Amino acid sequence: HLVPVPQAGTLAELNALIDTWDLEDEQRRIADRTRTIGEFFAIERPLLAPLPQEAFETGRLLTPRADRYAQVTVRMNRYSVPMRLIGHQVRVLLHASELVVFDGRTEVARHERLAGRGGSRLELDHYLEGLLRKPGALPGATVLEQARAAGRFTPVHEAWWAAARTAHGDAAGTRALVEVLLLHRRMSHAHVIAGIAAALRAGAMTADVVAMEARKAADADTPGTAPQHDEIPQPSPVTSLTGRRLAALPADT
């Protein structure tokens, strides 16, 4: 299976391919043997020693301190942590392909490990509280560019942000966007996207309307049929009071 070298975008994708090949291989019969590989293993399985009750931790434990940019430096690369941890020492479990950051026993961040040196891996959610106080720092920020590249900051976010800035001004519109982004912490990505889309269609540029529409989208989902990550449900639009009032006015001559 590994010759020639298979093509995969990530290590997780390659592992999924190997799992598929492994399951397919259980149906293979070696030479003239009477049973398949899977049948022989079913006979052998009860004779094997049980797995240990406690998992064996293969990660390396490190204890860096978060700097004033809410980042920790691990192996010459920087990774973001929540802003409340600035100046605090955290525990980092460094694995081959990812690292996990803990505050005490609580996991506070998980990042894909960077292979080179001098790079940064930033999570937009870690900086939202600071952006509420300084919304002008968001446009052009590295963390925003990384969120766009990763697909977490979608074109729907972009469109709502532009409309909010037009309606409320740059600072207030950006602050409203940050309040919308905070909704992702307690609601699914697809439901928040649905709320943003509905608010955008109605011309309602407030986080409260987005939250209401997101909850409506969540309530409309039946068990087992939740929308996919990139799908945008079509909930009923919000009635715009401003639109109703303007529609009742005579034409402006």
Coordinates of all heavy atoms in Angstrom, one line a residue, residues 151 154 156 184 188-194 217 221-234:
G151 N -10.4 29.0 6.4 CA -11.8 28.8 6.1 C -12.7 29.1 7.3 O -14.0 28.9 7.1
T154 N -15.4 33.2 6.9 CA -16.0 32.9 5.6 C -16.4 34.1 4.8 O -16.5 35.2 5.4 CB -17.2 31.9 5.8 OG1 -18.2 32.7 6.5 CG2 -16.8 30.7 6.6
V156 N -19.3 34.8 4.1 CA -20.5 35.3 4.8 C -20.2 36.3 5.9 O -20.8 37.3 6.1 CB -21.4 34.2 5.3 CG1 -22.6 34.7 6.0 CG2 -21.8 33.2 4.2
H184 N -19.8 31.8 18.2 CA -19.2 30.5 17.8 C -18.8 29.6 19.0 O -18.7 28.4 18.9 CB -18.0 30.7 16.8 CG -18.4 31.1 15.5 ND1 -19.0 30.2 14.5 CD2 -18.3 32.3 14.8 CE1 -19.2 30.9 13.4 NE2 -18.8 32.1 13.5
S188 N -23.1 26.1 17.1 CA -22.3 25.4 16.0 C -22.0 26.4 14.9 O -22.7 27.4 14.7 CB -23.1 24.3 15.4 OG -24.2 24.7 14.6
H189 N -21.0 26.1 14.1 CA -20.5 27.0 13.0 C -21.6 27.2 12.0 O -21.9 28.3 11.6 CB -19.3 26.4 12.4 CG -18.8 27.2 11.2 ND1 -17.9 28.2 11.3 CD2 -19.1 27.0 9.9 CE1 -17.7 28.7 10.1 NE2 -18.3 28.0 9.2
A190 N -22.3 26.1 11.6 CA -23.3 26.2 10.6 C -24.5 27.0 11.0 O -25.1 27.8 10.2 CB -23.8 24.8 10.2
H191 N -24.9 26.9 12.3 CA -26.0 27.7 12.8 C -25.7 29.2 12.9 O -26.5 30.0 12.5 CB -26.5 27.2 14.2 CG -27.0 25.8 14.1 ND1 -26.9 25.0 15.2 CD2 -27.6 25.1 13.1 CE1 -27.5 23.8 14.9 NE2 -27.9 23.8 13.6
V192 N -24.5 29.5 13.3 CA -24.1 30.9 13.3 C -24.0 31.5 11.9 O -24.5 32.6 11.6 CB -22.7 31.1 14.0 CG1 -22.3 32.6 13.9 CG2 -22.8 30.7 15.5
I193 N -23.5 30.7 10.9 CA -23.5 31.2 9.5 C -24.9 31.4 9.0 O -25.2 32.4 8.3 CB -22.8 30.1 8.7 CG1 -21.3 30.1 9.0 CG2 -22.9 30.4 7.2 CD1 -20.5 31.4 8.7
A194 N -25.8 30.5 9.4 CA -27.2 30.7 9.0 C -27.8 32.0 9.6 O -28.5 32.7 8.9 CB -28.0 29.5 9.4
A217 N -32.3 28.6 13.5 CA -31.8 27.6 12.7 C -31.5 26.3 13.5 O -31.7 25.2 13.0 CB -30.5 28.1 12.0
D221 N -33.5 22.3 13.1 CA -32.8 21.1 12.8 C -33.4 19.9 13.5 O -33.6 20.0 14.7 CB -31.3 21.2 13.1 CG -30.5 22.0 12.1 OD1 -30.9 22.0 11.0 OD2 -29.4 22.5 12.5
T222 N -33.7 18.9 12.8 CA -34.1 17.7 13.4 C -33.0 16.8 13.8 O -31.9 16.9 13.2 CB -35.1 16.9 12.5 OG1 -34.3 16.6 11.2 CG2 -36.3 17.7 12.2
P223 N -33.1 15.9 14.8 CA -32.0 15.1 15.2 C -31.4 14.2 14.1 O -32.2 13.6 13.3 CB -32.6 14.2 16.3 CG -33.7 15.0 16.9 CD -34.3 15.7 15.7
G224 N -30.1 14.3 13.9 CA -29.5 13.4 12.9 C -29.4 14.1 11.6 O -28.9 13.5 10.6
T225 N -29.9 15.3 11.4 CA -29.9 16.0 10.1 C -29.3 17.4 10.3 O -29.8 18.3 9.6 CB -31.3 16.1 9.5 OG1 -32.1 16.8 10.4 CG2 -31.9 14.7 9.2
A226 N -28.3 17.5 11.1 CA -27.6 18.8 11.3 C -27.0 19.3 10.0 O -26.4 18.4 9.3 CB -26.6 18.8 12.4
P227 N -26.9 20.6 9.7 CA -26.3 21.0 8.5 C -24.8 20.8 8.5 O -24.2 20.7 9.5 CB -26.6 22.5 8.4 CG -26.9 22.9 9.9 CD -27.5 21.7 10.5
Q228 N -24.2 20.5 7.3 CA -22.8 20.3 7.2 C -22.1 21.6 7.4 O -22.6 22.7 7.5 CB -22.5 19.8 5.8 CG -23.1 18.4 5.5 CD -22.7 17.4 6.5 OE1 -21.6 17.3 6.8 NE2 -23.7 16.6 7.0
H229 N -20.7 21.5 7.6 CA -19.9 22.6 8.0 C -20.0 23.7 7.1 O -20.0 24.9 7.5 CB -18.4 22.1 8.0 CG -17.4 23.1 8.5 ND1 -17.3 23.5 9.8 CD2 -16.6 23.9 7.7 CE1 -16.3 24.5 9.8 NE2 -15.9 24.7 8.6
D230 N -20.1 23.5 5.7 CA -20.0 24.6 4.8 C -21.4 24.9 4.2 O -21.5 25.8 3.3 CB -19.1 24.2 3.6 CG -17.6 24.1 4.1 OD1 -17.3 24.9 5.0 OD2 -16.9 23.3 3.5
E231 N -22.5 24.2 4.7 CA -23.8 24.5 4.2 C -24.4 25.7 5.0 O -24.1 25.9 6.1 CB -24.7 23.3 4.4 CG -24.3 22.1 3.5 CD -25.2 21.0 3.6 OE1 -26.1 21.1 4.5 OE2 -25.1 20.0 2.9
I232 N -25.2 26.5 4.3 CA -25.9 27.6 4.9 C -27.3 27.4 4.8 O -27.9 27.4 3.7 CB -25.5 28.9 4.1 CG1 -24.0 29.2 4.2 CG2 -26.2 30.1 4.7 CD1 -23.6 30.4 3.5
P233 N -28.0 27.0 5.9 CA -29.4 26.8 5.9 C -30.2 28.1 5.6 O -29.6 29.2 5.6 CB -29.7 26.4 7.4 CG -28.4 26.0 8.0 CD -27.4 26.8 7.3
Q234 N -31.4 28.0 5.2 CA -32.2 29.2 4.8 C -33.4 29.4 5.7 O -34.5 29.0 5.4 CB -32.7 29.0 3.3 CG -31.6 28.7 2.3 CD -30.7 29.9 2.2 OE1 -31.1 31.0 2.3 NE2 -29.4 29.6 1.9

